[in-house]
Amino acid sequence: MSSRIMKNEVSPGVVIEVEEFFVKYKNYSYLHCEWATEQQLEKDKRIQQKIKRFKMKQAQRALFFTDMEEEPFNPDYVEVDRVLEVSYCEDKDTGEEVVYYLVKWCSLPYEDSTWELKDDVDQSKIEEFEQLQAVKPDLRRMERPPANLWKKREQSREYRNDNTLRDYQLEGVNWLHFNWYNSMQSSKRHQSSSLRP
């Protein structure tokens, strides 16, 4: 994601310049990004190709952007959006229980969610997840209202932080409500029409 030149003292009085790369590892969150030398990355057989591609991209960016001193990634990527799941396992060395949380990160899609140790997750987000898990679903059967009582919603209600539904979302909610109100009639119509010769 980024690179820098560092001076390393290899022996007393002998200093060499070493290029380091800011690396994000596959299947790990941006919390685990780190600076590494090419030598440290050699366990990846394709590292030479990756570095070559990275340098080409950097050169192209330099043509279009004069200020290259920006952050290597969006800071939102290390902010917990929500906790999706919890997993408990045993540490093979100590036998102690280890707790992992599946984290959805801000500004990243769900497919980039990662499992993180409890200590790496914002405690308030863990508490929010636990509160949601504690809510028991209402499993009582609800009778469908008559179809003639359905009314199209013209405006969205307000949600948390003064948010409202967009037009296409409101259209979707109306469609779902319409189908909820009309499903008994349509299934009865479907049954009666399928009984006809």
Side-chain angles (χ1 to χ4, degrees), residues 27-52:
N27 299 326
Y28 285 87
S29 70
Y30 283 83
L31 284 180
H32 306 286
C33 291
E34 65 182 6
W35 289 100
T37 63
E38 188 175 329
Q39 185 179 8
Q40 291 169 315
L41 298 170
E42 281 181 347
K43 57 187 161 209
D44 182 347
K45 294 175 183 163
R46 297 175 298 162
I47 195 62
Q48 294 300 325
Q49 294 169 322
K50 290 178 181 180
I51 290 173
K52 183 179 177 182

Side-chain angles (χ1 to χ4, degrees), residues 69-115:
E69 291 299 316
E70 60 188 52
E71 297 184 37
F73 61 85
N74 184 339
D76 283 357
Y77 295 176
V78 292
E79 186 179 327
V80 176
D81 185 16
R82 65 180 59 100
V83 173
L84 304 172
E85 188 58 79
V86 63
S87 177
Y88 304 92
C89 54
E90 186 178 298
D91 186 307
K92 293 175 186 172
D93 298 329
T94 64
E96 293 179 15
E97 182 180 69
V98 181
V99 181
Y100 289 94
Y101 290 96
L102 182 60
V103 174
K104 158 63 174 89
W105 300 99
C106 288
S107 302
L108 285 172
Y110 279 91
E111 65 192 33
D112 290 338
S113 298
T114 56
W115 288 98

Side-chain angles (χ1 to χ4, degrees), residues 145-156:
N148 62 345
L149 293 181
W150 178 76
K151 289 186 178 101
K152 182 178 180 179
R153 292 178 183 222
E154 299 298 333
Q155 285 187 315
S156 169

Side-chain angles (χ1 to χ4, degrees), residues 35-194:
W35 289 100
T37 63
E38 188 175 329
Q39 185 179 8
Q40 291 169 315
L41 298 170
E42 281 181 347
K43 57 187 161 209
D44 182 347
K45 294 175 183 163
R46 297 175 298 162
I47 195 62
Q48 294 300 325
Q49 294 169 322
K50 290 178 181 180
I51 290 173
K52 183 179 177 182
R53 244 189 340 265
F54 166 75
K55 288 184 176 184
M56 285 174 49
K57 282 184 186 177
Q58 289 295 92
Q60 288 173 345
R61 283 183 67 203
L63 294 173
F64 297 106
F65 303 104
T66 55
D67 183 21
M68 293 290 286
E69 291 299 316
E70 60 188 52
E71 297 184 37
F73 61 85
N74 184 339
D76 283 357
Y77 295 176
V78 292
E79 186 179 327
V80 176
D81 185 16
R82 65 180 59 100
V83 173
L84 304 172
E85 188 58 79
V86 63
S87 177
Y88 304 92
C89 54
E90 186 178 298
D91 186 307
K92 293 175 186 172
D93 298 329
T94 64
E96 293 179 15
E97 182 180 69
V98 181
V99 181
Y100 289 94
Y101 290 96
L102 182 60
V103 174
K104 158 63 174 89
W105 300 99
C106 288
S107 302
L108 285 172
Y110 279 91
E111 65 192 33
D112 290 338
S113 298
T114 56
W115 288 98
E116 301 295 334
L117 289 168
K118 182 178 182 176
D119 293 341
D120 292 335
V121 181
D122 181 0
Q123 185 60 36
S124 67
K125 297 296 184 174
I126 292 173
E127 290 167 7
E128 189 178 293
F129 168 75
E130 289 170 347
Q131 288 172 355
L132 287 170
Q133 294 300 303
V135 174
K136 300 292 180 215
D138 184 359
L139 301 176
R140 294 175 292 173
R141 180 145 173 86
M142 183 176 169
E143 292 299 318
R144 291 182 196 269
N148 62 345
L149 293 181
W150 178 76
K151 289 186 178 101
K152 182 178 180 179
R153 292 178 183 222
E154 299 298 333
Q155 285 187 315
S156 169
R157 70 177 182 87
E158 266 190 29
Y159 293 91
R160 190 177 2 172
N161 300 327
D162 298 323
N163 287 318
T164 58
L165 295 176
R166 296 177 185 232
D167 289 342
Y168 69 91
Q169 293 170 317
L170 184 60
E171 183 181 336
V173 168
N174 277 321
W175 180 81
L176 289 169
H177 276 138
F178 178 82
N179 284 312
W180 166 254
Y181 277 78
N182 287 285
S183 75
M184 288 181 71
Q185 278 67 27
S186 64
S187 64
K188 285 180 185 174
R189 271 185 256 133
H190 184 277
Q191 288 173 351
S192 63
S193 66
S194 64

